[in-house]
Every structure is written in C-alpha cells, then in structure tokens.
C-alpha cells in the first residue's frame, strides 16, 4: 500500500465494500445449534473449550432466524427430513449448509438397506461443504468450517454476476 | 429349565389346551394359543407361585413370506427371581392378538412398536398409533414382503444414487 502509506489519521482501514462484507460474513458465521445423531456430540466437542469454535468467530444460535450456517450433524431420517427443510427455509439469507458425517452426506450405513433414511441431505437442501467421517473428528469439522469461510470470503455479494 | 416346565404345567392346569406342545424341546420358551392370551396373562401376573410382575420385552417376528407372524414376550418376576419367554403365533392374513397393555402398563409402547413395524393389531389397546415412524407412513417395514418405496412425501429415496459404484 505504498501510495496510501502514512497518509491518514489513526484507525483507518481502506477496503472495497464488497470485500468488507464478505470478510465480515466469513468471520462471524454463526451456526445453528441443532444435532440429529452422534455427529452432534462431535459438534458439541468442537464448540467446547478444547477446540473452541468461537476463536474462528463461530458461535451457536438456538434460533434459525439468527443463524447463518446450518451444520447437519447426523442421520437425516425421512421423518426428520421435512423438519430439516422447514428449519432451512426459516433461516435468513445469506445461509450456508454443512453436511457433517457419512449419514448426512449419503445415508452412510443406511444407504443400501435402510427404509427410513434420506440418502444424503443434498436431496432436499443445497450443501456447501461435505465433511467425511463417521463421525468426523473435531479437527475435520474445523477444517470444513475453514473451507466454508474461505468460500464465503471469495464471494462478492454486491458485484454483478457475469 | 425347571421354571418353564412349572409355568407350562400351571397354565395347562388352569386353561386346558392352551399350551402348544411341539416336537422341539421347549426349554427356552412356552408356545401358547392366542385366544385366551389375556386371561393367561392376568393369571401369570397374579398367581402366587408365578408373580410375573415385570414385562421386559415384546418383539414381533416374521417367520417368512408364507408363514405366520410371532409375538414374543419376556417376563420377569422381581419377587421370585425367575423369568420366561412366551411365544404366540399369529395368522398372517389377519394379524391380531389381545393387548396386555392394561395388565402390564409398560407393555403400552412395546406393543405400539410391534404394531409400527409389523402391523400386528393389539385388540383392546387404548392408543394404538405408530410409535417411531411418521403417522402418514404406508406399510409395515419389518415384514419380509415389504417393498421400500422410492419416494416419500415428494422426497426421492433411491436405492442407489448416481455415481455410486
């Protein structure tokens, strides 16, 4: 920033509004606190003090209206699928979905034999990041969340799509 | 097991012809007829020598596409510290058996689960609804002749998704 160096008073940052927006969104992606099966235990462990999701700006919200990211953590049964869809529809834009674990990705162990499990949550809602594992370790979940942040950071919400 | 013989003798003494004796050795269980099941249930709960005060498990079994269903009950006596398994064969075409929900209250949800999975109707049950599956579910999934649907409420449930194998 050679041209701008030493030209301003204290505490001034210059950026494009577009970049600023996507930067702000990526670093405060609050996730929706809801779990469906054993993956939710790993999600809780990730949010707890040892791994501490709040250090990357993510904190749990108990209402879909306040959340930006939905972590589908666990087996999506057919009975639950319509509820998951409803919760997703209740979230305000911009909204992102993380599919956590084998069950949410593809049905997992229930993909061939199960009569009651949706074969992947992407059948009903669009998914941004898939995290493999059964269940994924907290490290994998954090990796997936960082990937999501990267994705959000590269978005340009105000720029016209060409 | 002595208790099985004792229980089966006592039931036979009070309800003639109820115990079905098969060629297989009935060491593990007692097979009885479905007609007088409610009376037998009340009897084995209250009789001073039996006192089966705890209904531990109720399971349904589908024995095959041309064969009967079976309902299996596991009882335990906390007072006298003995247990038995009772099996009741049920016709496939019209599956129903007396409910013991009002004898052992714990049987309520167990019977509802068997109804949910096999479609066996428990006569006299006061609240026979599906236990686990959604109320608009069609069919009885643990039956051998159950066909998994490809679509449920507009959601596709394919057996194999594109890109697998």
């Amino acid at each position: 920033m050679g041209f701008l160096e030493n030209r301003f008073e204290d505490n001034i940052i210059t950026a494009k509004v577009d970049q600023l927006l996507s930067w702000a969104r990526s670093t405060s992606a609050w996730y929706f606190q809801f779990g469906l099966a054993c993956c939710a235990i790993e999600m809780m462990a990730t949010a707890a003090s040892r791994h501490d999701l709040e250090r990357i700006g993510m904190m749990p919200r108990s209402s879909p209206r306040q959340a930006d990211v939905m972590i589908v953590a666990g087996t999506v049964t057919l009975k639950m699928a319509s509820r998951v869809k409803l919760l997703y529809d209740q979230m305000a834009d911009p909204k992102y979905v993380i599919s956590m674990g084998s069950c949410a990705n593809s049905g997992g162990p229930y993909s061939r034999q199960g009569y009651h499990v949706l074969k992947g949550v992407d059948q009903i809602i669009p998914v941004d990041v898939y995290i493999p594992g059964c269940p994924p370790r907290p490290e994998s979940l954090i990796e997936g969340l960082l990937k999501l942040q990267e994705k959000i950071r590269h978005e340009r919400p105000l720029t016209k799509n060409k | 097991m002595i208790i099985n013989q004792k229980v089966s003798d006592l039931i036979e003494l009070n309800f003639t012809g109820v115990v079905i004796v098969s060629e297989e050795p009935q060491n593990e269980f007692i097979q009885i007829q479905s007609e007088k099941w409610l009376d037998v249930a009340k009897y084995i709960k209250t009789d001073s020598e039996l006192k089966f005060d705890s209904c531990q498990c109720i399971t349904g079994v589908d024995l095959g596409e041309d064969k009967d269903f079976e309902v299996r009950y596991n009882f335990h006596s906390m007072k006298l510290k003995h247990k038995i398994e009772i099996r009741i064969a049920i016709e496939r075409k019209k599956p129903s058996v007396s409910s013991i929900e009002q004898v052992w209250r714990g049987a309520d949800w167990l019977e509802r689960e068997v109804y949910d999975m096999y479609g066996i109707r428990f006569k006299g049950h006061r609240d026979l609804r599906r236990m686990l599956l959604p109320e608009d579910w069609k069919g009885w999934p643990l039956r051998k002749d159950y066909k998994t649907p490809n679509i449920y409420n507009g959601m596709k449930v394919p057996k194999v998704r594109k890109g697998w194998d």
Side-chain angles (χ1 to χ4, degrees), chain A residues 78-79 81-83 105-107 111-124 130, chain B residues 117 131-135 137 141-142 146 148-149 152-153 155-161 164-165:
Chain A
L78 292 175
K79 195 176 182 178
S82 49
R83 277 90 169 165
N105 290 342
S106 70
S111 58
R112 295 296 167 94
Q113 275 84 26
Y115 58 90
H116 63 302
V117 174
L118 196 69
K119 317 291 187 215
V121 75
D122 51 1
Q123 302 264 0
I124 49 167
Y130 297 87
Chain B
M117 294 296 158
M131 184 76 209
L132 300 163
L133 291 168
E135 280 172 23
W137 193 274
L142 288 194
Y146 180 71
T148 318
Y152 169 74
N153 268 357
M155 291 177 283
K156 279 184 195 161
V157 197
K159 294 223 173 50
V160 175
R161 270 181 69 179
W164 291 4
D165 321 295

Side-chain angles (χ1 to χ4, degrees), chain A residues 126-145:
Chain A
V127 175
D128 293 282
V129 177
Y130 297 87
I131 304 170
C134 185
R137 285 184 60 83
E139 291 90 324
S140 323
L141 179 59
I142 291 173
E143 170 78 19
L145 294 170

Side-chain angles (χ1 to χ4, degrees), chain A residues 54-71:
Chain A
E54 280 189 43
R55 74 203 155 97
I56 58 168
M58 304 193 73
M59 78 191 232
R61 303 303 298 171
S62 306
S63 158
R65 310 270 183 205
Q66 301 169 340
D68 308 301
V69 181
M70 177 189 242
I71 303 177

Side-chain angles (χ1 to χ4, degrees), chain A:
Chain A
M1 295 222 284
F3 176 69
L4 299 172
E5 217 161 275
N6 300 331
R7 280 180 157 236
F8 300 103
E9 299 290 317
D10 218 3
N11 291 336
I12 288 186
I13 298 168
T14 55
K16 289 180 191 161
V17 180
D18 221 9
Q19 278 178 344
L20 202 64
L21 269 178
S22 55
W23 169 77
R25 280 179 184 177
S26 74
T27 47
S28 64
W30 291 355
Y31 64 96
F32 181 28
Q33 189 182 37
F34 103 116
L36 301 177
C38 38
C39 280
I41 305 291
E42 294 296 308
M43 189 178 74
M44 285 178 242
T46 319
S49 52
R50 183 175 285 260
H51 295 279
D52 196 12
L53 273 186
E54 280 189 43
R55 74 203 155 97
I56 58 168
M58 304 193 73
M59 78 191 232
R61 303 303 298 171
S62 306
S63 158
R65 310 270 183 205
Q66 301 169 340
D68 308 301
V69 181
M70 177 189 242
I71 303 177
V72 183
T75 318
V76 188
T77 57
L78 292 175
K79 195 176 182 178
M80 195 65 196
S82 49
R83 277 90 169 165
V84 171
K85 179 89 169 64
L86 182 72
L87 288 169
Y88 176 76
D89 289 342
Q90 283 177 342
M91 283 164 72
D93 275 329
K95 50 191 173 185
Y96 305 93
V97 176
I98 284 180
S99 164
M100 181 186 179
S102 296
C103 294
N105 290 342
S106 70
Y110 311 99
S111 58
R112 295 296 167 94
Q113 275 84 26
Y115 58 90
H116 63 302
V117 174
L118 196 69
K119 317 291 187 215
V121 75
D122 51 1
Q123 302 264 0
I124 49 167
I125 54 178
V127 175
D128 293 282
V129 177
Y130 297 87
I131 304 170
C134 185
R137 285 184 60 83
E139 291 90 324
S140 323
L141 179 59
I142 291 173
E143 170 78 19
L145 294 170
L146 290 176
K147 278 268 180 286
L148 180 74
Q149 289 195 344
E150 203 180 308
K151 185 181 176 178
I152 301 173
R153 204 155 49 238
H154 286 98
E155 276 181 357
R156 291 291 170 262
L158 301 182
T159 313
K160 211 175 184 180
N161 286 328
K162 281 174 189 167

Side-chain angles (χ1 to χ4, degrees), chain B residues 14-75:
Chain B
N14 285 276
F15 306 91
T16 320
V18 164
V19 178
I20 299 167
V21 184
S22 64
E23 286 170 12
E24 289 175 55
Q26 294 197 334
N27 293 331
E28 310 291 324
F29 60 90
I30 301 167
Q31 181 105 30
I32 69 168
Q33 281 180 347
S34 62
E35 280 87 35
K36 286 184 188 165
W37 168 228
L38 189 62
D39 298 329
V40 176
K42 279 176 186 160
Y43 168 72
I44 64 168
K45 191 187 179 190
T46 48
D47 188 74
S48 59
E49 278 181 80
L50 301 175
K51 272 204 172 42
F52 287 104
D53 47 12
S54 163
C55 173
Q56 301 211 305
C57 186
I58 300 177
T59 334
V61 181
D62 187 345
L63 296 171
E65 290 202 13
D66 312 321
K67 293 176 186 160
D68 287 343
F69 293 123
E70 212 168 57
V71 182
R72 301 183 175 179
Y73 301 82
N74 291 86
F75 296 109

